[in-house]
Amino acid sequence: MVKALLARSWRAFCLMLGNQPSLTGYLLPLIQWLKPGFLPGKYRAQLVATAWQTADMIELTLQLSKRWPGFVPGQHINVTLNHNGRYLTRPFSICSSFTHWQSQGQISLCCKLNREGEFTPILARLTKGQWLSVSAAQGEFVWQQPALSTVFIAAGSGITPVAAMLLSQHHWLSAVTLHYRVRGNENAALLAPLQQLAQRNPLFNLQLSDSRVETATEFSDRLMQQPLQREFYLCGPARFMQQVTTNLTAQGVSTAQIHCEQFAPLLQNAAHSSTDDEINSTFIVAGLPKQIALPRMHSLLQSAEQQGLDPAFGCRMGVCFQCVCEKVSGQVRDMRNGLLSGHGREQIQLCISQPVTELVIKL
């Protein structure tokens, strides 16, 4: 009873002092000066090497904090950067082997650069020794039964989690085939270690498909001519995975045999939502209602700003609590962990909340 009372009193004091439930966010600039890359709920990672895998894909090798809990090959992490005073977060699959992390405490990420994007161009400008913030590893796209005959199908940057699974495997108990579809070998990231694996392991068969030579239909036909009593792991563009899945199920492959990349909520919404997927909601500003169409894939803060509103904000990643406002009704999803709010009146943070149902929000 006394402990709960002290906790409530401390929380009230912190809210009064810094509009935050703890003093960590209030003291964050000082902490980051002492420990670059520190963020509450994140892990520090230092950039130790960069290398270009292709003309538009850079490999980052990170030395992880000893506190980082590790990963299962196939999982991804969220990387957070401070750019012009704003925290930006994007997910990337780990592409290096589990052994490398065990022996060196390092992981590698292969990041495809979007020259028109906001986040990935920053990665090309990072220098050795810089500190980043990363999340714990996430995702269920892991090699569940290596003892069964398995087919991996990857396209483009979808090779990254697949490579981590294959390069981490030590005890090969059955035949494994990788169908790697790219636009020319020069655009095939991680090709060299996969070719080396194929040369030394007779149970691993690497099949390259050049999209400039082999059409999508020809690739699909070749795939369907092979034995289908196997486990299938797919990773690549959403449309590519959907097409392959449709073709496999049409040939009688059970959905239980097909495993596709499933990212955390932050990426899942971006990958599988469209700008047409919107929810009509109401923002109440100075007592006056304003109707707004909210894209499901955007944070409420981002959508409000795009509609010309000017809500208060700070860190833009759920740390500083400057964007807290009242949700009168409706349900939102926490972008950090996928948790759903209630449907009634409560306080929410605009920067880390996405709409799930029609909302009424008071700014």
Side-chain angles (χ1 to χ4, degrees):
M1 186 71 177
V2 174
K3 186 176 181 180
L5 178 62
L6 289 174
R8 287 197 298 270
S9 299
W10 175 252
R11 178 182 173 87
F13 171 74
C14 293
L15 288 170
M16 178 185 67
L17 181 64
N19 193 32
Q20 301 176 61
S22 74
L23 288 183
T24 301
Y26 185 71
L27 299 174
L28 189 59
L30 176 61
I31 298 174
Q32 289 180 333
W33 181 74
L34 297 171
K35 301 182 73 172
F38 172 84
L39 281 175
K42 303 287 186 180
Y43 301 91
R44 301 170 73 223
Q46 190 172 34
L47 181 64
V48 295
T50 61
W52 288 96
Q53 280 286 332
T54 68
D56 63 351
M57 184 175 288
I58 190 170
E59 181 179 3
L60 307 178
T61 300
L62 304 177
Q63 184 75 45
L64 277 303
S65 161
K66 293 182 179 180
R67 294 176 50 249
W68 194 67
F71 73 106
V72 178
Q75 290 186 313
H76 63 274
I77 60 172
N78 291 327
V79 177
T80 299
L81 299 172
N82 188 328
H83 179 59
N84 295 331
R86 296 172 54 204
Y87 287 105
L88 305 175
T89 301
R90 296 292 185 275
F92 297 99
S93 293
I94 299 168
C95 66
S96 51
S97 71
F98 184 76
T99 303
H100 187 64
W101 174 71
Q102 279 187 314
S103 61
Q104 303 293 327
Q106 298 177 356
I107 61 170
S108 293
L109 311 173
C110 276
C111 311
K112 188 175 180 64
L113 302 190
N114 175 7
R115 305 294 181 182
E116 305 301 322
E118 182 179 25
F119 187 94
T120 55
I122 303 172
L123 301 178
R125 300 194 293 269
L126 296 178
T127 57
K128 183 178 178 180
Q130 281 193 244
W131 289 91
L132 312 175
S133 303
V134 302
S135 71
Q138 307 171 34
E140 303 298 325
F141 186 64
V142 297
W143 196 355
Q144 299 174 7
Q145 301 185 67
L148 299 180
S149 184
T150 306
V151 176
F152 290 90
I153 306 170
S157 58
I159 192 62
T160 52
V162 171
M165 286 188 272
L166 293 171
L167 296 174
S168 298
Q169 189 63 25
H170 292 296
H171 304 291
W172 294 76
L173 304 175
S174 61
V176 175
T177 299
L178 167 60
H179 294 275
Y180 186 5
R181 187 161 171 80
V182 290
R183 188 172 177 80
N185 287 8
E186 67 275 14
N187 292 310
L190 303 169
L191 181 58
L194 291 171
Q195 288 176 327
Q196 293 169 7
L197 178 62
Q199 289 173 358
R200 67 175 183 265
N201 191 333
L203 288 176
F204 176 54
N205 180 23
L206 174 62
Q207 296 285 331
L208 290 176
S209 171
D210 190 339
S211 60
R212 298 175 303 185
V213 178
E214 185 177 40
T215 68
T217 301
E218 291 170 340
F219 171 71
S220 178
D221 290 344
R222 179 166 61 85
L223 188 63
M224 299 307 145
Q225 291 171 2
Q226 301 182 21
L228 299 179
Q229 291 73 38
R230 305 180 181 187
E231 296 293 304
F232 292 86
Y233 287 79
L234 283 57
C235 192
R239 184 175 298 177
F240 169 81
M241 289 195 293
Q242 182 178 4
Q243 181 179 3
V244 173
T245 299
T246 299
N247 293 338
L248 288 173
T249 54
Q251 294 295 318
V253 177
S254 167
T255 55
Q257 296 173 245
I258 304 173
H259 312 272
C260 296
E261 170 64 293
Q262 296 291 331
F263 290 102
L266 177 67
L267 182 61
Q268 183 178 2
N269 293 327
H272 301 292
S273 298
S274 68
T275 55
D276 296 328
D277 191 8
E278 298 177 332
I279 298 176
N280 293 322
S281 298
T282 302
F283 278 77
I284 301 175
V285 184
L288 299 176
K290 180 173 181 179
Q291 300 295 320
I292 291 179
L294 302 175
R296 294 178 187 269
M297 63 180 285
H298 293 166
S299 72
L300 298 180
L301 176 60
Q302 182 180 359
S303 297
E305 292 174 332
Q306 289 175 347
Q307 295 291 334
L309 301 181
D310 189 27
F313 68 89
C315 67
R316 305 183 76 95
M317 62 172 298
V319 174
C320 73
F321 287 81
Q322 297 301 313
C323 64
V324 169
C325 65
E326 183 179 5
K327 174 176 67 68
V328 179
S329 63
Q331 190 176 45
V332 298
R333 175 186 290 109
D334 189 319
M335 297 170 65
R336 299 168 298 183
N337 51 35
L339 295 179
L340 298 175
S341 73
H343 290 274
R345 190 182 296 268
E346 61 185 303
Q347 298 290 306
I348 62 170
Q349 294 171 263
L350 294 177
C351 69
I352 48 89
S353 297
Q354 291 175 314
V356 176
T357 66
E358 185 174 330
L359 299 170
V360 177
I361 296 175
K362 185 183 293 185
L363 294 182

